[in-house]
Amino acid sequence: MGLPSTSTNNVKVYTVSGSSLSRKLPDWLARRKKRELQKDIEWTSRVELLQDFEFPQASLKVRTTADGNFCMATGVYKPQIRVFEYSDLSMKFERHTDSENIDFQILSDDWTKSVHLQTNRAVEFHNEGQMHYRVRIPRFGRSLAYHSPSCDVLVGGAGNEVFRINIDQGRFMTPMATQAKGVNVVRVNPAHQLFGFGLEDGGVEFWDPRVRTCIGSLAPQGDDGAETSALAFRQDGLGAAVGTSAGHVLLYDLRQARPWQIKDQRFGLPVRVLEWLEPTRGVHVEAPEARVLSADARSIKLWGATSGKPFTAIEPAAAVNDVCVVPGSGLMLVAGESSEMQSYFVPQLGPAPRWANFLENLTEEMETTAQQHSVYDDYKFVTRRELDSLGLGHLVGSNVLKPYMHGFFVDLRLYERAKSIANPFAYEEYRLRRVQEKLAEARESRIRATTKLPKVNRALAQRLLKLQKGTAAGADADAGDSEKRLGGKQRKKAKAAADTATAVLGDDRFKAMFADAEFEVDEEETEFKQLHTTSTRRQQKNQAAAARADGDSSDEDVDIRQMPVAENANDSDGDDSDDGFYQ
């Protein structure tokens, strides 16, 4: 057992829960794997931070309560709410809803009161026992916020209005009309309760809750047509982080109209989550500056707010929907497009939470390198055509075949048996082929006095060997006469040709040219004859000489294929030194 870890910028990130699978396994395979893993000692002794920290299909949003004792998350499918209790490290309860959740806020210090924005234009209020009340808003909502001093629930959506639901009076209040066609994000400043609305046109408007009027705005910066997709206020009340749909993060001081820091996520995807992380001073880390957490569907990045230097980055296997950092710690809870919710622990970001202080000792002792394991080893994927060829087409619709994508999963043992029945001589053919390969390898290992030419491109190999030995420039004359006839230029050409032939024969990159039939040079092609006119003329002379020899020998039959290639001394005029495959 162990904790998979990664390191970016020398910052260790430990995966304390969640697998590396980006999609949910089929139910039939998941059940079988769970039964098999019950006997696996390594699996049974694994570390699981929160038991049942998952959803059937995917998780949408995750939040921690103000008292730090509970975690609430929403997911699908079926749409449901799950609450986890930190003290028990397990799920407290689950509650199903009528439609999927878009956003939610926890109204109380614990989990007992919450408000949920649903996809069917409904705003649901939940208590500890059930769904208490449901109200529908005029337009589809996109974001939700809660203003505790006035007990107003703010809902932004497809229109230019931000709806206000007062839960103290139990009625709708006058909505706040913005200058855009839609409101993507609604946030409340924790210091002075200023409202921030991220607009569809890329701007941001700030409203005073006391007079309910717009007191300032931020114009879109670059990225023509980019929308505001995320917004977060700093605890000091002066800093604001704005995320765009083009993947850019802009940091503002509310006293200035221009951003003092711009960061690019590098993926071009909309920024989904922004969060300010204040410096945590203690025995674990001494942070010189505040950090910003920015997340899109592909990655989670942490970087310095003042310097902009990257701190670390995490790339989960599944798309990220939401990120929640447990306050005062280095633990991150990630909701994404996978059945299991991810949990990451960064010791250099902060200490472990008090309810999970065992992580401090486990990180170094149980650190392992993340590895990918296949869970489909016992099954074979076959298409419908392969299924018919194996004679298993009649099993379609039964429990033996598991439909998946454009084919089926079949047990590997059944597949091997069906394959052996469909082609009973497959093993014999394989055995004969292996015997031939072994015999060929044995023949190649024999010691021969003469040089063995390959079966592929035999003529080319013979010419290269002649060039390598320096005999291509001469004819049937001896070496002394050749040196007399060759000048300095011819000797240089012969030496260059010999070096080229040595390089080709000794380089492994050209090995396939003499072993693979696909690289066979057809010397009967017209293009080859046009490029190698000297070789063509010499071959014609050799064939004519062989024909004359056949005409002269009437007493016995001679097979010209067994005769050595004749060498004509008249052709040794220096042209042969350049002849060959590289002419």
Side-chain angles (χ1 to χ4, degrees):
M1 69 178 182
L3 293 178
S5 65
T6 58
S7 179
T8 304
N9 292 337
N10 295 326
V11 177
K12 289 289 186 66
V13 178
Y14 298 92
T15 304
V16 294
S17 69
S19 65
S20 59
L21 296 177
S22 60
R23 53 185 171 82
K24 186 177 182 297
L25 294 176
D27 292 337
W28 57 271
L29 183 56
R31 290 193 299 267
R32 175 168 294 185
K33 287 296 178 181
K34 286 183 179 179
R35 291 196 299 266
E36 295 177 357
L37 291 174
Q38 291 178 358
K39 302 178 182 179
D40 192 343
I41 299 177
E42 183 177 356
W43 172 261
T44 55
S45 59
R46 73 193 186 280
V47 176
E48 190 174 12
L49 185 61
L50 293 174
Q51 189 176 3
D52 297 328
F53 195 56
E54 60 183 11
F55 282 89
Q57 190 67 33
S59 51
L60 302 176
K61 294 289 182 180
V62 58
R63 300 278 191 276
T64 58
T65 57
D67 58 6
N69 296 326
F70 301 93
C71 169
M72 181 179 289
T74 60
V76 291
Y77 181 83
K78 302 177 179 180
Q80 55 189 282
I81 303 170
R82 292 189 176 184
V83 175
F84 302 89
E85 188 170 0
Y86 290 149
S87 60
D88 295 337
L89 298 178
S90 62
M91 183 175 64
K92 187 176 182 64
F93 73 91
E94 64 178 358
R95 182 180 301 168
H96 290 261
T97 58
D98 295 338
S99 59
E100 296 183 14
N101 179 260
I102 298 176
D103 197 2
F104 74 92
Q105 294 293 332
I106 301 175
L107 304 180
S108 59
D109 291 339
D110 55 4
W111 60 270
T112 56
K113 296 179 181 179
S114 59
V115 56
H116 299 258
L117 176 63
Q118 307 295 90
T119 55
N120 60 351
R121 292 194 294 119
V123 178
E124 297 181 355
F125 296 89
H126 290 253
N127 57 20
E128 64 274 15
Q130 60 184 352
M131 191 269 293
H132 177 70
Y133 191 76
R134 178 190 291 118
V135 61
R136 289 174 65 87
I137 56 177
R139 299 180 182 273
F140 289 97
R142 299 176 182 174
S143 182
L144 185 72
Y146 177 62
H147 184 231
S148 56
S150 64
C151 297
D152 282 346
V153 175
L154 308 176
V155 183
N160 66 329
E161 296 179 333
V162 177
F163 301 102
R164 298 166 54 221
I165 305 174
N166 191 280
I167 59 177
D168 183 28
Q169 303 180 25
R171 64 188 181 94
F172 279 96
M173 307 300 288
T174 304
M176 293 175 284
T178 63
Q179 300 298 322
K181 296 181 180 180
V183 180
N184 295 334
V185 190
V186 178
R187 293 291 181 268
V188 178
N189 195 305
H192 43 69
Q193 307 301 314
L194 185 70
F195 295 166
F197 303 146
L199 305 180
E200 190 175 313
D201 60 0
V204 180
E205 289 187 5
F206 301 101
W207 287 61
D208 190 340
R210 298 168 297 182
V211 295
R212 293 183 295 277
T213 57
C214 180
I215 60 174
S217 63
L218 296 175
Q221 299 288 334
D223 297 330
D224 296 338
E227 303 178 5
T228 300
S229 59
L231 177 64
F233 288 107
R234 194 173 179 179
Q235 293 292 332
D236 60 2
L238 297 178
V242 179
T244 67
S245 59
H248 292 160
V249 180
L250 299 87
L251 302 185
Y252 287 91
D253 190 319
L254 294 182
R255 298 165 293 185
Q256 299 178 357
R258 293 183 176 275
W260 50 272
Q261 188 69 259
I262 300 178
K263 196 72 174 178
D264 191 356
Q265 287 286 108
R266 301 294 182 182
F267 287 107
L269 301 174
V271 178
R272 296 186 174 183
V273 182
L274 283 176
E275 188 170 348
W276 292 83
L277 304 178
E278 299 298 334
T280 304
R281 303 190 181 276
V283 296
H284 285 78
V285 61
E286 195 73 21
E289 59 179 347
R291 297 189 177 97
V292 177
L293 183 148
S294 57
D296 56 14
R298 291 281 300 276
S299 66
I300 305 170
K301 295 186 178 182
L302 289 89
W303 41 280
T306 304
S307 61
K309 294 182 179 179
F311 176 67
T312 188
I314 305 172
E315 292 189 10
V320 178
N321 289 330
D322 195 15
V323 181
C324 176
V325 179
V326 178
S329 70
L331 182 65
M332 288 186 290
L333 308 178
V334 181
E337 295 294 330
S338 62
S339 60
E340 296 182 351
M341 299 177 66
Q342 309 289 326
S343 299
Y344 300 97
F345 178 53
V346 186
Q348 292 183 243
L349 184 63
R354 56 181 178 82
W355 50 270
N357 51 11
F358 55 86
L359 291 177
E360 299 287 352
N361 300 327
L362 293 179
T363 51
E364 296 295 337
E365 298 175 0
M366 302 176 58
E367 179 181 357
T368 59
T369 304
Q371 297 180 354
Q372 299 287 342
H373 299 282
S374 176
V375 294
Y376 295 96
D377 293 338
D378 301 333
Y379 295 89
K380 177 70 175 179
F381 180 81
V382 294
T383 61
R384 185 59 183 265
R385 182 179 299 177
E386 296 177 11
L387 204 64
D388 295 336
S389 64
L390 294 175
L392 300 178
H394 63 283
L395 297 177
V396 176
S398 64
N399 295 329
V400 179
L401 299 179
K402 310 297 182 180
Y404 190 75
M405 296 176 65
H406 62 284
F408 304 89
F409 272 117
V410 61
D411 191 279
L412 187 60
R413 295 170 295 180
L414 176 61
Y415 173 79
E416 294 294 343
R417 292 187 60 183
K419 187 176 180 180
S420 62
I421 294 174
N423 188 6
F425 302 103
Y427 177 74
E428 293 296 332
E429 295 174 358
Y430 169 77
R431 181 175 175 275
L432 292 176
R433 186 169 62 253
R434 290 295 299 170
V435 169
Q436 295 295 333
E437 293 177 357
K438 292 291 184 181
L439 292 177
E441 293 176 0
R443 294 191 191 99
E444 292 178 358
S445 63
R446 296 175 182 174
I447 300 176
R448 292 180 175 83
T450 58
T451 303
K452 180 182 177 182
L453 295 177
K455 296 181 179 180
V456 181
N457 290 328
R458 182 185 296 267
L460 175 60
Q462 186 174 11
R463 289 197 298 270
L464 291 176
L465 288 174
K466 287 184 178 181
L467 292 175
Q468 187 180 15
K469 295 178 181 179
T471 59
D476 54 351
D478 57 0
D481 296 337
S482 298
E483 291 183 358
K484 292 179 181 178
R485 287 195 301 269
L486 289 176
K489 185 178 295 185
Q490 284 78 5
R491 284 196 298 269
K492 290 182 180 179
K493 288 185 178 181
K495 186 177 183 301
D499 294 340
T500 303
T502 303
V504 171
L505 294 175
D507 197 337
D508 293 338
R509 295 177 297 176
F510 300 99
K511 184 184 296 184
M513 186 169 61
F514 302 104
D516 194 349
E518 296 291 335
F519 297 97
E520 179 74 33
V521 178
D522 190 0
E523 297 186 359
E524 299 298 329
E525 289 287 340
T526 305
E527 296 181 357
F528 181 86
K529 295 179 179 180
Q530 291 177 352
L531 294 174
H532 302 79
T533 55
T534 306
S535 300
T536 304
R537 289 196 302 268
R538 188 191 312 114
Q539 186 177 4
Q540 293 176 353
K541 293 180 181 179
N542 294 337
Q543 293 177 355
R548 289 193 300 271
D550 287 341
D552 296 340
S553 59
S554 57
D555 296 335
E556 57 180 356
D557 295 334
V558 180
D559 190 358
I560 62 173
R561 292 177 296 177
Q562 299 178 358
M563 295 179 60
V565 179
E567 295 181 354
N568 194 349
N570 297 328
D571 292 339
S572 59
D573 54 355
D575 294 336
D576 291 345
S577 60
D578 292 337
D579 189 23
F581 188 70
Y582 293 97
Q583 187 177 8

